Amino acid sequence: MNYPSNPNPSSTDFTEFFKFDDFDDTFQMIMEEIGRDDHQSSSPTLSWTSSEKLVAAEISSPLQINQATSPMSLEIGDKDETKKRKRHKDDPILHVFKTKSVEKVALDDGYKWRKYGKKPITGSPFPRHYHKCSNADCNVKKKIERDTNNPDYVLTTYEGRHNHPSPSVVYCDSDDFDLTSLNNWSFQTTNTYSFSHSAPY
DNA sequence: CGAGTTTGACCGGCGC
DNA sequence: GCGCCGGTCAAACTCG
């Protein structure tokens, strides 16, 4: 697989936008590949090496969530491990993203979300936040909680798959894209980048 | 005024 | 059966 360059989120270089697009497609391919596998068999770790190439490495222990190795890295696991009950065959597939976040607020992933709950979690000083996709026909949910072992990181659990494009993608693809709004756009891209790998989910 | 957030109540699964 | 806990609901509230 030909992995694209790392879209540096701090960059305001306009060309990064196209790399970002390529990356998103590649990530979707990876995730779809994962989707064909038995989710209990493996959990991939995605991260960028110093050469800014995306690498996907299978880790032997299933459902493992490792420590992120850099602010740019993210990891994916199947959160079923955290469920008390055993996995049912018709359970929805969950994908967990671990991202470094120094912000107090959750990063935007390009979709519009409506918060519908917040609960304290036993054993964690941080509450868990519950969100639904704002699109009426889309029942994707996400849960956001801070990593208790590493409060610098945020765990975002996505459940379901969006049946509509990301509003931010529509915006970025629009013909009347205005270069004068580049600063604002770059900010959006930065945020989207942080979670965009989850966009189809 | 509409959309999104807050927050207490409620519900169901699970372990004991 | 009971209590705990995670997840959801929905009314009240806030904000643009």
Side-chain angles (χ1 to χ4, degrees), chain A residues 110-148:
Chain A
Y111 286 88
K112 284 189 69 178
W113 299 93
R114 181 175 55 82
K115 187 175 180 177
Y116 67 89
K118 178 179 109 176
K119 291 284 290 186
I121 304 302
T122 53
S124 170
F126 309 107
R128 178 179 293 156
H129 303 263
Y130 300 88
H131 302 260
K132 283 178 182 175
C133 182
S134 290
N135 189 313
D137 299 325
C138 182
N139 58 357
V140 175
K141 299 173 191 171
K142 77 171 176 182
K143 290 175 280 191
I144 300 175
E145 60 189 289
R146 203 159 277 277
D147 187 349
T148 53

Side-chain angles (χ1 to χ4, degrees), chain A residues 3-199:
Chain A
Y3 295 113
S5 299
N6 178 5
N8 182 357
S10 64
S11 170
T12 54
D13 183 350
F14 185 65
T15 60
E16 296 290 353
F17 167 65
F18 301 99
K19 292 178 181 176
F20 172 82
D21 248 12
D22 292 339
F23 172 80
D24 206 36
D25 289 344
T26 302
F27 186 82
Q28 186 163 354
M29 288 169 59
I30 294 170
M31 295 304 288
E32 284 175 355
E33 217 163 276
I34 294 166
R36 288 199 294 273
D37 294 335
D38 179 358
H39 282 261
Q40 294 181 337
S41 65
S42 65
S43 175
T45 296
L46 303 182
S47 63
W48 284 279
T49 65
S50 55
S51 61
E52 294 192 341
K53 296 294 182 185
L54 177 68
V55 295
E58 296 288 331
I59 57 178
S60 55
S61 174
L63 312 176
Q64 183 175 351
I65 299 174
N66 286 333
Q67 174 126 347
T69 53
S70 81
M72 302 286 290
S73 71
L74 64 146
E75 301 174 22
I76 303 166
D78 191 319
K79 199 69 179 298
D80 281 352
E81 176 182 49
T82 67
K83 291 180 181 178
K84 286 185 176 178
R85 65 183 176 85
K86 290 183 177 178
R87 178 194 175 96
H88 296 167
K89 71 181 176 77
D90 56 346
D91 277 346
I93 298 302
L94 306 178
H95 290 107
V96 182
F97 292 80
K98 182 176 180 175
T99 55
K100 183 157 189 168
S101 174
V102 294
E103 306 290 337
K104 289 183 178 178
V105 297
L107 294 169
D108 186 11
D109 58 7
Y111 286 88
K112 284 189 69 178
W113 299 93
R114 181 175 55 82
K115 187 175 180 177
Y116 67 89
K118 178 179 109 176
K119 291 284 290 186
I121 304 302
T122 53
S124 170
F126 309 107
R128 178 179 293 156
H129 303 263
Y130 300 88
H131 302 260
K132 283 178 182 175
C133 182
S134 290
N135 189 313
D137 299 325
C138 182
N139 58 357
V140 175
K141 299 173 191 171
K142 77 171 176 182
K143 290 175 280 191
I144 300 175
E145 60 189 289
R146 203 159 277 277
D147 187 349
T148 53
N149 297 324
N150 207 339
D152 285 346
Y153 291 85
V154 171
L155 299 175
T156 305
T157 305
Y158 286 84
E159 178 182 324
R161 196 182 274 256
H162 290 286
N163 56 11
H164 58 96
S166 163
S168 67
V169 171
V170 171
Y171 170 74
C172 292
D173 280 342
S174 64
D175 289 332
D176 57 352
F177 177 74
D178 182 5
L179 279 175
T180 61
S181 66
L182 184 59
N183 286 340
N184 183 45
W185 174 84
S186 294
F187 175 73
Q188 286 192 8
T189 302
T190 297
N191 284 344
T192 300
Y193 160 78
S194 297
F195 282 117
S196 69
H197 327 92
S198 64

